Amino acid sequence: LSTRENIGSVQRLASIAGGVYLLWSALSVLRSKKKTEALSPAWNAVTGGYLIYRGLSGHCIVKDAIDRSENKILSYLHHN
């Protein structure tokens, strides 16, 4: 896996903000007495954690995978 930065500062800040919100939301639901789907807080926590990682590292594994796929397709088209 590549760890080079592939997202800009605005995307990084938005990722951190969104990640903190999702993580806070998950923890709030877990601490409350409300009945919710068991998967929702866990999903929010995992997603929030990833977004915080994405924002702090500046690297998005999804964007990296898409870029590599596009490069393979363009290389194939160029050679055929």
Side-chain angles (χ1 to χ4, degrees), residues 32-52:
S32 75
K33 305 276 187 216
K34 297 177 188 174
K35 294 201 176 210
T36 63
E37 292 182 28
L39 200 54
S40 182
W43 179 252
N44 283 352
V46 169
T47 305
Y50 171 71
L51 286 174
I52 292 170

Side-chain angles (χ1 to χ4, degrees), residues 4-41:
R4 64 180 167 70
E5 290 184 18
N6 63 357
I7 60 172
S9 5
V10 173
Q11 291 172 315
R12 291 178 77 166
L13 289 173
S15 292
I16 292 170
V20 167
Y21 173 78
L22 286 173
L23 198 53
W24 174 80
S25 170
L27 294 174
S28 295
V29 168
L30 292 174
R31 293 176 63 189
S32 75
K33 305 276 187 216
K34 297 177 188 174
K35 294 201 176 210
T36 63
E37 292 182 28
L39 200 54
S40 182

